[in-house]
Amino acid sequence: MNKIDDQILVIFGASGDLTARKLIPALYNLCKGNYLPKNFIVLGASRTDMTDEDFRDKVLNESEFFAKERGAKNACIKDFSKQLYYQDLGGDYSSSYQPLKERIEQLAQENDIPPNYIFYLSTPPSIYIKIAENLSEAGLTDEKEGWKRLVVEKPFGYDLKSAHKLNEGLLKCFSERQIYRIDHYLGKETVQNLLVTRFSNSIFEPLWNRNYISRVEITNAESDGVGSRGGYYDGSGAFRDMFQNHLMQIVSLVAMEPPHAIEADAIREEKLKVLKCLRGWTPSRIRRNTVRGQYAASGTMKGYKAEEGVPKDSKTETFAAIKFYFDNWRWEKVPFFVRTGKRMPTKVTEVVIHFKPSPKNLFDGKQENNRLVIRIQPNEGIVLNFGMKLPGQGFQVENVDMDFNYSDLSEAEVPEAYERLLLDVMQGDPTLYALGAEVEEAWAFVDPILDAWENENDIELHEYPAGSWGPEAADKLLGKYEWTSPQKYDDDTNH
Ligand code: BG6
């Protein structure tokens, strides 16, 4: 691992949920693993009036994560808590950041830290630009001494126009090199492993194209409903919330060309290049190739419209399925099918690569085509499915699984996405962060669909029973194929 500079991490919106639930536990795990630099502090900042002690209480003593850690009598917590500080920004985020600057400089001096600062924006996106401008006005973006980095949480824009405006606004205060657009799916080991599976295995790469692959399928399912996030979610919907960012990132890693090196610019350029090859939409293609749905009450589970914060006449989709193509040499005529939804039978994310049939069916019995299943979560791992001869007379073929579980690889636990991502920005490695152009390209692809869904009244919003795999229309999207059912798959392999 590269040496990490001493630094200060300033979290804007630190009184919010993400800080206590994800960021502080991730930093604590990094501290426990001895990954943090020698001199390092976190300065939480937000509009809530709190002291350093209140902040420590809030993010450590009141958090579920730390309740477990304390049970394990971990001495680390005490040391770690001393690294946490808090600054009240006053009434709103737009007042002068001079007091913030003074506090940062004072803490830097007391803790012998050079002016290397990360500003992590975990606030409502509507104030991202304002915060960046204020930081710039206070002279906190200047890199004459020490580096400055800006981390931006999702959602990055609401559509292409707003994402472009956001990029423009941030780029007035920070350079692209300084901006880290976070997508927590890129922090998942198994998502990163897509690169290794593809580019370190000579058995896969020669087959990874239209000649051998018949289709690519991605399922992202959650058993939970929207819970207490109805207010946010209703203005977003499944397509914006999951597809435009997380799933498009997975798609680009599956579809991209090999980078010339495993380094940020090379990988991000290839991802951007492949996104540019996505086939554009016409109104009739949107009608034929996209499906949206909303969960309805079933059994004890309420319907989406009855969730807290959701209007009774909401037209927001909680499920989306889409079929699309890349117009390029590698993927000509290979359909990609992606579905995502809340209130499905289980929580799972899987990529399934379906290979074409062998040229001639020589054996008796039903023969399935080879499948490579990349299990992003849970049971992180990879399964290769292929035909085997059943013992006995004749040549009966049965499809079997060669199954690798991440948990078999090492004793080490699979790190949480935020641990990896925070460590990367602390080291200045943007590989797992999205480029502004990438985000805009993804919006350019989804915008016409969102537009049509919003404005064409005859595009149906299908209801599906909570706890099911979505509306029937999503099955029809696949034509002669069927979605690979992760549940069935689990049953077969006894996981
Ligand atoms: C978030 C979405 O980005 O990702 C949530 O806003 C979703 O709606 C979550 O539940 C899923 O993340 P994970 O890591 O649990 O698959």
Side-chain angles (χ1 to χ4, degrees):
M1 199 181 82
N2 297 337
K3 182 178 173 305
I4 307 184
D5 298 328
D6 291 340
Q7 56 193 276
I8 297 183
L9 170 64
V10 184
I11 305 176
F12 286 88
S15 57
D17 183 49
L18 186 80
T19 307
R21 212 166 36 85
K22 294 282 182 194
L23 303 182
I24 298 291
L27 289 165
Y28 172 74
N29 281 339
L30 291 175
C31 173
K32 246 179 28 178
N34 271 329
Y35 290 110
L36 295 180
K38 186 161 159 279
N39 297 335
F40 171 77
I41 59 166
V42 177
L43 177 64
S46 77
R47 290 169 298 183
T48 312
D49 180 14
M50 276 193 286
T51 62
D52 291 341
E53 275 314 315
D54 295 339
F55 180 56
R56 290 170 188 165
D57 258 6
K58 183 174 169 61
V59 296
L60 294 175
N61 302 342
E62 291 167 19
S63 115
E64 258 174 55
F65 172 84
F66 285 99
K68 280 192 220 128
E69 283 293 316
R70 265 194 306 279
K73 291 208 174 55
N74 208 312
C76 228
I77 297 186
K78 221 166 165 197
D79 294 338
F80 179 67
S81 86
K82 287 188 208 135
Q83 293 174 279
L84 307 180
Y85 297 87
Y86 181 79
Q87 174 73 20
D88 177 8
L89 292 175
D92 60 30
Y93 285 92
S94 50
S95 43
S96 160
Y97 285 4
Q98 209 49 42
L100 176 69
K101 183 183 187 207
E102 282 161 22
R103 182 82 197 279
I104 292 175
E105 287 172 352
Q106 175 213 337
L107 287 169
Q109 205 185 23
E110 285 168 12
N111 292 278
D112 195 18
I113 299 176
N116 297 324
Y117 308 144
I118 297 176
F119 302 106
Y120 195 115
L121 306 191
S122 171
T123 62
S126 53
I127 51 176
Y128 287 169
I129 295 180
K130 188 73 227 161
I131 296 177
E133 284 170 356
N134 277 2
L135 287 169
S136 166
E137 265 165 39
L140 280 165
T141 55
D142 193 313
E143 289 197 304
K144 273 195 218 102
E145 283 180 80
W147 48 255
K148 311 289 178 294
R149 295 172 192 148
L150 182 78
V151 182
V152 190
E153 262 296 334
K154 68 164 271 219
F156 199 89
Y158 182 77
D159 52 17
L160 177 58
K161 202 166 146 218
S162 55
H164 183 68
K165 209 168 141 215
L166 182 52
N167 270 330
E168 263 186 351
L170 296 180
L171 285 167
K172 283 190 186 133
C173 311
F174 290 85
S175 66
E176 177 68 37
R177 188 183 49 74
Q178 291 176 287
I179 304 175
Y180 290 69
R181 296 171 194 80
I182 210 161
D183 186 306
H184 80 275
Y185 265 59
L186 287 177
K188 292 183 191 276
E189 280 290 327
T190 32
V191 173
Q192 293 155 36
N193 192 46
L194 277 166
L195 287 172
V196 178
T197 304
R198 287 193 54 194
F199 303 126
S200 82
N201 292 301
S202 58
I203 58 167
F204 295 132
E205 186 48 25
L207 309 182
W208 211 266
N209 58 52
R210 69 190 181 288
N211 294 324
Y212 300 98
I213 291 179
S214 72
R215 65 192 190 278
V216 175
E217 205 191 299
I218 301 177
T219 288
N220 166 268
E222 289 181 84
S223 42
D224 287 346
V226 290
S228 56
R229 294 168 75 226
Y232 149 78
Y233 192 88
D234 202 64
S236 168
F239 215 50
R240 282 192 176 90
D241 186 51
M242 289 300 303
F243 182 79
Q244 184 276 337
N245 38 60
H246 308 321
L247 299 177
M248 290 288 279
Q249 284 292 342
I250 295 181
V251 165
S252 54
L253 288 170
V254 170
M256 69 191 260
E257 293 300 309
H260 68 80
I262 293 298
E263 49 104 340
D265 288 349
I267 293 175
R268 300 197 299 176
E269 267 161 34
E270 291 303 340
K271 278 164 61 197
L272 176 60
K273 237 165 69 186
V274 82
L275 290 178
K276 286 181 192 282
C277 302
L278 281 163
R279 186 178 296 171
W281 298 105
T282 59
S284 74
R285 287 198 58 243
I286 291 177
R287 280 189 163 67
R288 280 184 281 117
N289 295 299
T290 68
V291 172
R292 57 174 172 163
Q294 189 186 76
Y295 61 82
S298 170
T300 53
M301 288 179 278
K302 37 178 153 165
Y304 174 69
K305 291 191 187 84
E307 300 277 15
E308 181 193 326
V310 175
K312 300 288 162 263
D313 58 348
S314 170
K315 297 228 162 6
T316 298
E317 82 286 354
T318 59
F319 173 94
I322 173 174
K323 172 183 178 186
F324 58 92
Y325 291 91
F326 287 95
D327 281 329
N328 67 6
W329 198 268
R330 183 182 290 270
W331 295 113
E332 181 66 15
K333 297 205 170 77
V334 179
F336 279 64
F337 298 99
V338 181
R339 61 177 169 169
T340 176
K342 298 228 184 254
R343 277 280 184 248
M344 314 227 83
T346 184
K347 178 168 171 76
V348 67
T349 305
E350 267 186 10
V351 178
V352 188
I353 309 290
H354 293 269
F355 292 93
K356 289 188 170 169
S358 46
K360 189 167 158 51
N361 190 353
L362 292 172
F363 305 108
D364 300 336
K366 183 176 145 245
Q367 279 170 52
E368 290 177 32
N369 303 333
N370 295 122
R371 266 190 333 239
L372 179 71
V373 182
I374 301 165
R375 287 194 311 248
I376 307 283
Q377 60 187 22
N379 299 335
E380 289 86 350
I382 285 193
V383 179
L384 185 61
N385 179 273
F386 57 98
M388 287 285 277
K389 180 184 174 304
L390 272 181
Q393 285 201 327
F395 284 97
Q396 283 284 339
V397 178
E398 173 90 10
N399 266 64
V400 296
D401 288 334
M402 199 150 80
D403 192 345
F404 161 72
N405 279 288
Y406 246 75
S407 52
D408 297 341
L409 191 60
S410 83
E411 306 258 295
E413 277 179 33
V414 177
E416 272 284 317
Y418 275 96
E419 284 171 44
R420 170 65 196 260
L421 294 172
L422 282 168
L423 196 58
D424 280 2
V425 62
M426 288 164 73
Q427 296 189 94
D429 179 354
T431 310
L432 300 177
Y433 286 84
L435 282 174
E438 241 181 278
V439 176
E440 288 191 29
E441 206 59 57
W443 277 119
F445 182 64
V446 305
D447 252 17
I449 300 169
L450 289 166
D451 234 40
W453 284 1
E454 211 167 301
N455 299 315
E456 310 290 329
N457 291 334
D458 61 320
I459 301 185
E460 201 176 333
L461 173 67
H462 302 269
E463 281 203 339
Y464 61 97
S468 73
W469 281 107
E472 250 175 59
D475 300 337
K476 294 203 182 118
L477 195 66
L478 269 72
K480 61 180 177 177
Y481 304 123
E482 274 176 23
W483 292 102
T484 311
S485 160
Q487 194 57 57
K488 178 165 142 248
Y489 202 76
D490 272 348
D491 291 347
D492 286 347
T493 51
N494 294 321
H495 280 303

